[in-house]
Amino acid sequence: AHGNEAAALALQTISRMIRGGIRHEDIACRYEENLFLLIFPNMPGRVGQTRARALKDQLERADISIQGTRLPLSLACGVGSLPENGPDVWDALKAAQHALAAD
């Protein structure tokens, strides 16, 4: 609704928040156009869910604007975990996608 400038600002804000909220050993990447994948090695799924909720809350409180218009940001999260969701990374990814669809 606000054009490419707003989309770029939103992506920059999201990226900065992710970068500021992960550990040295964590991995963050853009997975698809508007999806990010965060990998938290050696972290129980419930802790990952807590961190995802905290990031969601932080992002929704972000105060960013374009030409005086506040840009509301939101985040939907899906969390998958090994070995809780299966024996390999694809099982965890499928679980995260299913949780994302339910969010």
Side-chain angles (χ1 to χ4, degrees):
H2 298 285
N4 290 336
E5 183 181 358
L9 181 59
L11 283 173
Q12 289 169 1
T13 301
I14 292 165
S15 298
R16 194 170 30 258
M17 286 183 179
I18 289 172
R19 221 177 24 249
I22 62 175
R23 306 168 300 177
H24 177 71
E25 65 267 29
D26 296 337
I27 301 166
C29 58
R30 195 165 173 191
Y31 183 63
E32 290 182 7
E33 184 177 344
N34 61 349
L35 296 177
F36 290 85
L37 177 64
L38 304 177
I39 300 171
F40 301 129
N42 303 314
M43 181 181 291
R46 68 184 185 289
V47 177
Q49 289 172 339
T50 299
R51 291 185 67 194
R53 277 190 216 103
L55 182 60
K56 178 178 181 159
D57 292 345
Q58 179 186 8
L59 187 63
E60 289 175 354
R61 287 190 312 267
D63 188 22
I64 64 170
S65 61
I66 293 279
Q67 300 167 352
T69 301
R70 185 179 185 281
L71 298 178
L73 298 178
S74 64
L75 179 69
C77 300
V79 176
S81 180
L82 296 175
E84 293 138 276
N85 295 120
D88 67 45
V89 70
W90 298 112
D91 296 319
L93 186 56
K94 276 196 274 187
Q97 289 172 328
H98 179 72
L100 179 62
D103 187 19

